[in-house]
Amino acid sequence: MAENLTQCLVITPEREIFSGPAELVVIPLKDGELGIAAHRKEMVAQVACGELRIRTSTKTHRFYVEDGFAEVLQNRVRVVVRKVLRPEEIDAESLQATIDELISRKILSDKEFAERDALVSRLRLQLRVFRREG
């Protein structure tokens, strides 16, 4: 493997999403993003909802991910998440319609508000990944 590359694997319980060498892997965390380049010190981090970016020598791959963990060990990055969407799997028109409907819905409790707010945030993150790729 080249000196400036790390081996990256992205998986869900159902499928392998990406496997190959990467120059940089940027992982969403609850309080920001974590960039991982070659020879990063070993670590484990909790992955939050957001955009996962993998820069290879030829392209930057973008994914929407939800909930999981990332492990860096011996110049390998393993990202295990509950859900992954590629930009081409995101229907922007349908997402925007869902967001608009959720926002217009009457909320009766703090719990409903928090649940709706969390869902709208996830949907907006999906839209951001779709729009950045296009």
Side-chain angles (χ1 to χ4, degrees):
M1 186 180 309
E3 188 69 24
N4 63 339
L5 300 177
T6 187
Q7 188 64 29
C8 181
L9 174 65
V10 180
I11 59 174
T12 70
E14 293 83 27
R15 61 185 176 152
E16 180 179 293
I17 304 302
F18 179 91
S19 179
E23 293 177 349
L24 180 68
V25 179
V26 180
I27 298 169
L29 305 175
K30 288 188 188 254
D31 58 353
E33 294 181 321
L34 172 66
I36 301 170
H39 310 293
R40 172 79 161 82
K41 189 172 182 160
E42 296 176 350
M43 58 161 293
V44 174
Q46 184 177 358
V47 177
C49 297
E51 182 182 44
L52 170 68
R53 297 185 306 277
I54 303 169
R55 188 176 72 206
T56 66
S57 60
T58 59
K59 179 180 180 180
T60 297
H61 302 269
R62 298 178 188 281
F63 306 95
Y64 169 78
V65 296
E66 286 185 5
D67 307 324
F69 72 91
E71 173 189 64
V72 179
L73 184 63
Q74 298 176 346
N75 206 34
R76 295 180 186 278
V77 179
R78 183 173 62 152
V79 181
V80 181
V81 289
R82 181 176 60 84
K83 179 179 184 176
V84 175
L85 293 173
R86 292 180 170 90
E88 61 269 16
E89 296 173 317
I90 297 171
D91 179 350
E93 192 173 301
S94 175
L95 280 179
Q96 189 61 59
T98 301
I99 290 169
D100 294 343
E101 189 276 324
L102 287 168
I103 290 172
S104 68
R105 189 181 292 170
K106 185 176 180 179
I107 300 297
L108 301 175
S109 70
D110 289 344
K111 180 181 177 189
E112 284 181 37
F113 180 82
E115 290 170 354
R116 182 197 67 183
D117 191 47
L119 178 56
V120 167
S121 293
R122 287 194 308 271
L123 295 176
R124 285 183 172 153
L125 287 169
Q126 289 178 26
L127 275 177
R128 186 179 310 146
V129 172
F130 171 80
R131 291 182 176 141
R132 290 183 93 184
E133 186 70 13

